[in-house]
Amino acid sequence: MVGPCGSVPVGADRGLSLQPILHGQAVMTIQYYVFLLVNGLSLGMLLFIIASGLSLVFGVLRVINFAHGSLYMIGAYVACTLATFLSGGSFFHFLLLLLVVPPVIAILGFVLETTLFRRVYQQEHLLQLLLTYALVLILDDVVRVIWGGDPRSVVRPDILAGSVSVLGMALPSYNVFVLLLGPIIALGLWYLLYRTRAGNVIRAAVHYPDTLGALGVNVSWVMTATFMLGCWLAGLGGVLVAALANVDLGIGMERIIECFAVVVIGGLGSVGGALLGSLIIGVGISFFQLPFGRWALVFPYLVMALVLIIRPWGLFGKPER
Amino acid sequence: MRGRMLRTALAVLVFALAAGLVVSGDCLAQDKIRLGFVADVGGIAATFYKSQRQAIDLFIEEANAAGGVMGKKLEVVVRDSQLKPDIGSNMARELILSEKCDFLIGPTSSAVALAITKVAQEFKKIVYFHTSNTELLTTTDFQPYMFQVVPNTGIEGRGIVEFVSKKPYKRFGYIGYDYAYGHTQWDEQKAKLKQLKPDAQIAEPVWVKLGESNFSAWIPTVIASNPEVILSSLWGGGLASFIKQAQPYGMFKTASVTSLFDLDMLRAIGKDMPENQLGYARAAFYAIDTPQMKAFNQKYYDKYKEWPADWAIMAYDGLIALTDAIKQANSLDSDKVVKALEGLKFKSLRGDRFIRAEDHMMNCGIYVGYTVKDPKYEGFLIMKDVVEVPAEKVWRSVDELKKIRAEKK
């Protein structure tokens, strides 16, 4: 181990680590890139869970909800508060958070939709943006008042605190968990949208809201339900991030911009597009670190710009009629 | 006649009362030494403020119980600068003009400190900085009515490089937020490292998007260059997040992330902190072996039921220096106290120290050590085998100071 006398360098205790390293010189191998791919995919999945909500809400309500990031942040804070009551550590407690917190955010969404959003659907986009941006400021201050400025976090359950070996390299179990949860959510959303009557109604509301209304469906209820689903996803993302990183007042704004890029790349309103967009960004940032360093940060926006030039309606989106 | 007399009597009475008020007001002001604390109270500074305030309150309580300073009681007036330089300078003005404060105590944020030091100069009121540690305060932005009792960015950055260069570490990495301070710090550290250890292998630095709390995308890149020591400008909650996330990637089996392990950070990360990580503190209550420090720890713990964070120790040391200088000058006059401060030797919690006359910097170094679990402290790790890298080894020489200030003019 490390000694202050320095007789043994830190590197002496070599355990599970990135293998393709010889004599201190990093040798990049195919394994390393596969590892980066898996790491990036798990990053993308987390992004997808949040961004899919944003996309869904836009698809049905035609409102770009900037406050989506704030709802995600509130989800994270609620998770932190609940976790202190549960005095966490066990996987069961963590699952409980995953089950309880997203519905709480969905209920908050219900209140917001029925009192505020409903009033602006017929208004121009500028007014809608003003409303959602005002909500960002208000919700941020509400969080500041309730939770204060101290960073918080949820204790990772022990079972997810370790790591698994991917081609001889250590990948955190938590990333693996998110990597598995992402496709489950994606499949669930796909099933809901394409295999259930509710989904049919939601999809119909995207393209033919008037016809749907004429058929006797309560369109405004569909909108409320969709908004709540979007908030549910934001809340889920919040719980997942609270166990990963410190939660503070900045995390909402930090994520909403990336989510926006994801939604533009994938196509506004398309959940499949959000999945693809998230994975492109997650893998991209992870992959291009090494060759491009800090310029890897530009990647999401570069892709977004390219998509906007070549296919302005997004990869999976449909051109506006 | 009677009415007129009554009126005169009333007028005299009112006048006398008013005069009495003024006189007693004056007496009040002279009986006390008012300390204006321009503090960053909320947001990310909340935990810092709590420690600073507790230490200041403790000092005042003790000093007043011992009869005050020059027979005058101390009192503190607090204004919130909200981490904003413009608000900070307004609050400093208010403390000087409306609250009639005799001395100022600085904030947490360096940006706010740079604004306040200008106000202090304008009104010739002494301010001391205990947590905001930008080196600019004593170099380009130096003004005589200030002193600094926290190891500044230069002492910190060069100090840790000085330490690692004496150890057999060969491979170095860096991770930090992508913003001006991070880049300046790394450029300087890299240059110093190359100078002290020409055979060091220094990997490309890894720059993280400012404010990002999910480090997953950057961690494999840091590991890829297989460093033994990862220097970093991450601190506080961000550093705690990074360490927590990097651990399951196996990073700490082969490397140490080396940054500021202040008590608040150690408390924030708790038991998720791996052992044997090389780091440094600005003032480590558990490692400083002076009778003053030990007495302070006990008093602080008894009063607040927690151990003093670095910021508490430094805020307290600043008041020791300030009150010693006041006693030596036997005056509250800023110019006389400044004169006493220059070269002042005083018994700080951190040992016998002085304030360098040329830049009003206390000779305070950083405390370097390796993390370890200690049964004495529940809930957080401390550092063992702590040594101080003395400020005199790494602070700017007087010649350098002159050069930097001349370049600015």
Side-chain angles (χ1 to χ4, degrees):
Chain A
M1 284 315 230
V2 194
C5 51
S7 53
V8 186
V10 188
D13 178 32
R14 175 83 39 86
L16 191 64
S17 166
L18 292 177
Q19 286 298 311
I21 293 161
L22 295 169
H23 313 298
Q25 276 299 317
V27 182
M28 290 312 122
T29 63
I30 192 86
Q31 282 100 321
Y32 180 72
Y33 281 100
V34 172
F35 177 80
L36 282 188
L37 183 70
V38 177
N39 189 52
L41 283 175
S42 85
L43 201 67
M45 283 303 175
L46 187 57
L47 201 55
F48 161 71
I49 288 170
I50 307 159
S52 58
L54 184 69
S55 192
L56 203 62
V57 166
F58 179 83
V60 177
L61 278 59
R62 300 272 128 188
V63 174
I64 297 169
N65 182 17
F66 267 110
H68 194 74
S70 306
L71 290 161
Y72 147 80
M73 174 175 71
I74 292 173
Y77 272 101
V78 172
C80 292
T81 302
L82 269 181
T84 55
F85 285 116
L86 295 173
S87 68
S90 84
F91 188 60
F92 172 72
H93 284 163
F94 186 62
L95 279 185
L96 206 62
L97 288 182
L98 287 174
L99 286 178
V100 172
V101 176
V104 171
I105 305 304
I107 290 167
L108 177 62
F110 172 80
V111 175
L112 291 176
E113 202 277 339
T114 49
T115 55
L116 296 172
F117 281 80
R118 195 164 277 190
R119 296 164 195 277
V120 298
Y121 293 147
Q122 303 307 319
Q123 311 282 352
E124 51 181 323
H125 279 310
L126 182 65
L127 207 77
Q128 298 175 346
L129 279 181
L130 276 178
L131 172 77
T132 60
Y133 190 67
L135 260 181
V136 170
L137 300 177
I138 293 168
L139 291 177
D140 278 13
D141 272 349
V142 167
V143 168
R144 200 190 304 270
V145 169
I146 299 180
W147 283 283
D150 293 352
R152 287 147 201 276
S153 65
V154 168
V155 179
R156 259 179 323 212
D158 293 339
I159 194 172
L160 298 180
S163 51
V164 294
S165 171
V166 174
L167 299 169
M169 286 166 269
L171 186 73
S173 342
Y174 194 79
N175 292 31
V176 177
F177 175 71
V178 174
L179 195 56
L180 296 176
L181 189 65
I184 293 173
I185 299 295
L187 267 177
L189 282 177
W190 173 82
Y191 187 83
L192 178 75
L193 288 175
Y194 291 92
R195 287 289 179 271
T196 63
R197 182 177 143 69
N200 284 338
V201 172
I202 290 176
R203 281 187 298 128
V206 175
H207 297 293
Y208 313 103
D210 299 336
T211 322
L212 199 62
L215 285 171
V217 174
N218 187 342
V219 177
S220 107
W221 187 88
V222 174
M223 289 181 157
T224 310
T226 310
F227 192 80
M228 287 174 72
L229 181 60
C231 293
W232 185 87
L233 288 163
L236 186 65
V239 181
L240 289 174
V241 88
L244 185 71
N246 273 319
V247 176
D248 62 44
L249 285 166
I251 66 164
M253 246 345 195
E254 175 194 301
R255 206 48 75 222
I256 190 68
I257 306 289
E258 252 172 32
C259 286
F260 191 63
V262 163
V263 171
V264 169
I265 293 170
L268 280 158
S270 159
V271 172
L275 180 62
L276 185 67
S278 302
L279 296 183
I280 289 177
I281 288 186
V283 171
I285 294 183
S286 197
F287 234 73
F288 292 122
Q289 280 292 313
L290 213 56
F292 298 113
R294 57 197 288 231
W295 297 107
L297 289 183
V298 185
F299 178 75
Y301 310 104
L302 202 68
V303 178
M304 183 169 97
L306 271 178
V307 169
L308 279 176
I309 293 167
I310 299 165
R311 219 180 132 86
W313 50 89
L315 297 178
F316 279 34
K318 292 198 175 79
E320 288 280 327
R321 278 159 291 135
Chain B
M1 272 298 274
R2 266 189 74 179
R4 201 162 159 190
M5 233 176 86
L6 199 68
R7 230 178 293 159
T8 316
L10 252 174
V12 170
L13 198 70
V14 167
F15 185 73
L17 269 173
L21 275 178
V22 172
V23 172
S24 69
D26 255 352
C27 283
L28 204 73
Q30 280 171 5
D31 275 348
K32 291 199 164 157
I33 298 176
R34 284 167 73 80
L35 304 166
F37 182 11
V38 196
D40 292 314
V41 173
I44 57 161
T47 45
F48 294 79
Y49 171 68
K50 187 177 164 221
S51 301
Q52 296 156 357
R53 181 70 200 270
Q54 289 180 167
I56 291 167
D57 285 348
L58 182 61
F59 184 92
I60 291 176
E61 193 183 300
E62 289 168 352
N64 289 348
V69 177
M70 280 169 43
K72 298 174 201 289
K73 302 266 183 211
L74 298 176
E75 66 178 14
V76 66
V77 188
V78 183
R79 287 287 182 279
D80 185 4
S81 44
Q82 300 171 25
L83 293 156
K84 292 181 181 131
D86 52 332
I87 297 182
S89 67
N90 283 341
M91 291 302 152
R93 274 198 181 84
E94 193 183 313
L95 285 167
I96 296 169
L97 296 174
S98 317
E99 295 290 342
K100 310 278 180 227
C101 287
D102 305 291
F103 301 97
L104 295 179
I105 303 174
T108 296
S109 146
S110 278
V112 179
L114 286 166
I116 291 172
T117 199
K118 291 196 173 67
V119 179
Q121 180 177 27
E122 186 186 334
F123 292 96
K124 301 195 170 167
K125 289 287 178 197
I126 296 170
V127 58
Y128 80 84
F129 298 107
H130 45 78
T131 303
S132 40
N133 77 330
T134 172
E135 196 174 29
L136 300 179
L137 285 165
T138 55
T139 56
T140 54
D141 289 62
F142 174 75
Q143 55 92 9
Y145 300 96
M146 65 73 70
F147 64 101
Q148 201 171 15
V149 294
V150 46
N152 64 32
T153 45
I155 295 176
E156 254 181 8
R158 294 187 293 268
I160 189 62
V161 169
E162 164 81 26
F163 181 89
V164 294
S165 69
K166 299 278 186 295
K167 302 286 171 193
Y169 304 124
K170 280 267 158 47
R171 303 183 303 277
F172 297 88
Y174 180 88
I175 184 165
Y177 281 132
D178 193 0
Y179 68 136
Y181 167 67
H183 282 272
T184 322
Q185 195 213 30
W186 173 237
D187 287 346
E188 209 189 331
Q189 284 189 326
K190 193 170 146 186
K192 181 101 185 159
L193 193 56
K194 275 184 175 161
Q195 176 206 334
L196 293 176
K197 197 160 205 164
D199 61 337
Q201 297 167 21
I202 306 171
E204 279 297 304
V206 175
W207 298 108
V208 181
K209 186 173 73 171
L210 185 58
E212 177 66 67
S213 52
N214 184 354
F215 296 91
S216 331
W218 290 273
I219 291 167
T221 318
V222 178
I223 300 177
S225 60
N226 192 28
E228 292 164 294
V229 172
I230 302 153
L231 295 166
S232 178
S233 60
L234 298 175
W235 57 276
L239 180 61
S241 275
F242 173 74
I243 292 174
K244 202 170 141 184
Q245 290 167 30
Q247 166 119 8
Y249 282 93
M251 180 183 278
F252 305 123
K253 286 186 175 149
T254 57
S256 165
V257 61
T258 296
S259 186
L260 179 60
F261 293 175
D262 64 86
L263 185 60
D264 279 335
M265 199 287 290
L266 291 171
R267 283 194 284 226
I269 189 166
K271 295 289 182 200
D272 282 336
M273 184 79 197
E275 286 197 290
N276 286 308
Q277 291 291 298
L278 170 66
Y280 55 89
R282 290 187 187 169
F285 81 93
Y286 46 86
I288 298 169
D289 194 17
T290 67
Q292 290 91 338
M293 189 74 231
K294 285 184 172 143
F296 173 78
N297 286 341
Q298 205 49 54
K299 277 182 290 188
Y300 193 94
Y301 189 85
D302 290 345
K303 193 166 160 69
Y304 303 114
K305 302 289 167 255
E306 65 173 36
W307 297 106
D310 305 41
W311 341 113
I313 297 165
M314 298 185 295
Y316 192 94
D317 270 347
L319 282 175
I320 297 179
L322 180 64
T323 50
D324 276 10
I326 294 172
K327 284 177 203 158
Q328 213 176 85
N330 196 28
S331 164
L332 296 184
D333 179 74
S334 295
D335 289 300
K336 286 179 184 157
V337 178
V338 165
K339 220 164 175 182
L341 272 170
E342 291 185 339
L344 177 85
K345 291 194 171 70
F346 64 110
K347 274 202 180 331
S348 80
L349 298 177
R350 288 170 271 179
D352 289 343
R353 295 303 154 108
F354 66 88
I355 307 272
R356 182 161 70 168
E358 287 84 359
D359 61 350
H360 298 190
M361 183 71 218
M362 172 179 167
N363 61 331
C364 48
I366 54 168
Y367 297 87
V368 187
Y370 296 82
T371 52
V372 68
K373 290 192 181 105
D374 188 321
K376 259 197 286 182
Y377 306 106
E378 284 260 319
F380 62 92
L381 275 68
I382 59 165
M383 291 191 289
K384 64 174 177 184
D385 306 310
V386 177
V387 293
E388 186 185 359
V389 178
E392 290 90 328
K393 260 195 170 164
V394 285
W395 65 7
R396 298 237 180 251
S397 69
V398 174
D399 288 341
E400 277 178 298
L401 281 175
K402 280 182 187 152
K403 215 176 124 197
I404 292 168
R405 287 182 201 154
E407 272 168 14
K408 204 209 168 185
K409 276 169 195 159

